[in-house]
Amino acid sequence: MQVLILILTYLIAVEHIGIMGLEMFASAETKAKAFDMPLDFVKLPNARVALSNQGIYNGMLGAVIIMVNLLLAGQTLKIVLALLMLYIFIVALYGTFTATKKIFFLQGLPALITLLLILFF
């Protein structure tokens, strides 16, 4: 079960680094489609800055998950990963209600499943 948890946490980390790539470097058309936003909005300078800012957070979250897996072990690893998965789930719930429902399935559900596996195994 520990191997499954490790794989899931790495997948979640890679997902967040990928989201960073979309938010920071993708074309306006790709961003609009990926995040269910109007193209005219995504092209606004303030929206580009906001998305890039959000991208930094997602990228750093992915990096932290990877570093935690590499540097910590035992109960400490379990606690920190559980807190990170809880954080991702809460943020995904907020995004689900304020932005788009697909955030729940793409970010919230994997984090919740991983959190439950961490807590019960």
Side-chain angles (χ1 to χ4, degrees):
M1 193 57 65
Q2 298 306 320
V3 173
L4 178 60
I5 291 169
L6 184 69
I7 291 168
L8 288 173
T9 57
Y10 274 113
L11 287 173
I12 290 168
V14 169
E15 176 186 31
H16 280 83
I17 292 169
I19 292 168
M20 175 199 73
L22 282 171
E23 290 171 336
M24 295 183 74
F25 306 115
S27 68
E29 291 79 13
T30 303
K31 289 178 189 179
K33 184 177 178 185
F35 303 119
D36 293 337
M37 294 181 174
L39 181 57
D40 291 340
F41 173 74
V42 174
K43 287 183 176 181
L44 294 173
N46 289 342
R48 286 196 318 262
V49 169
L51 282 167
S52 290
N53 235 344
Q54 189 171 324
I56 291 288
Y57 283 95
N58 275 304
M60 291 306 295
L61 180 58
V64 165
I65 293 168
I66 290 169
M67 294 310 296
V68 162
N69 274 318
L70 294 174
L71 297 175
L72 301 179
Q75 194 64 22
T76 304
L77 174 62
K78 195 174 180 179
I79 291 168
V80 173
L81 284 176
L83 289 171
L84 287 168
M85 295 305 118
L86 179 61
Y87 168 79
I88 292 169
F89 180 70
I90 290 169
V91 171
L93 279 180
Y94 181 80
T96 298
F97 292 115
T98 60
T100 177
K101 304 282 184 255
K102 72 181 180 181
I103 291 174
F104 178 78
F105 297 103
L106 294 175
Q107 291 178 298
L109 198 55
L112 179 62
I113 290 168
T114 305
L115 174 62
L116 293 174
L117 288 174
I118 291 167
L119 293 176
F120 293 111
F121 294 102

